[in-house]
Amino acid sequence: MRPATMFIVWTCAILWAAFVVQGVFAYMTLEGTGSGFTRGFNRLAAFFQWEAAALAAAFVGFLAGRGAPHGNLARFAARWPLYLSGGFFLVLILLYLVAVASSRIG
């Protein structure tokens, strides 16, 4: 694996971790705005924006690290952020679909 590719993989892994931490930090520290049912949706919006940025960084790192040899730490750093962030968004989409389906049935 070339040094430039290793740099991209590790930079994307560090960015992914920073974006995930920033998303949790933004959710915990922002004050909820709005009233009634929509109070606090600004916190969720900030959280999901940072998580989407983390997913983008994970995807770029995954694409850059495709050629890493088996057993290499860079291959691990290229794949696991995408698995975690992609799995998070997949679970969110499935929960949304289940909620829509249950509201249509019930």
Side-chain angles (χ1 to χ4, degrees), residues 9-10 12-13 16 58 61-62 72-82:
V9 167
W10 286 108
C12 287
W16 171 80
F62 177 78
N72 192 347
L73 190 59
R75 185 179 178 108
F76 181 80
R79 291 179 178 234
W80 277 99
L82 182 65

Side-chain angles (χ1 to χ4, degrees), residues 9-101:
V9 167
W10 286 108
T11 302
C12 287
I14 291 169
L15 280 174
W16 171 80
F19 289 158
V20 168
V21 168
Q22 179 61 30
V24 172
F25 183 73
Y27 179 77
M28 298 300 285
T29 58
L30 279 177
E31 186 173 334
T33 60
S35 62
F37 178 73
T38 62
R39 179 162 177 79
F41 275 178
N42 65 319
R43 296 170 66 188
L44 286 175
F47 174 73
F48 286 129
Q49 286 173 350
W50 283 109
E51 294 304 317
L55 181 62
F59 187 70
V60 170
F62 177 78
L63 290 178
R66 286 183 298 169
H70 290 286
N72 192 347
L73 190 59
R75 185 179 178 108
F76 181 80
R79 291 179 178 234
W80 277 99
L82 182 65
Y83 294 160
L84 292 174
S85 288
F88 172 72
F89 277 103
L90 183 64
V91 166
L92 284 179
I93 291 168
L94 290 175
L95 286 174
Y96 174 75
L97 292 175
V98 166
V100 168

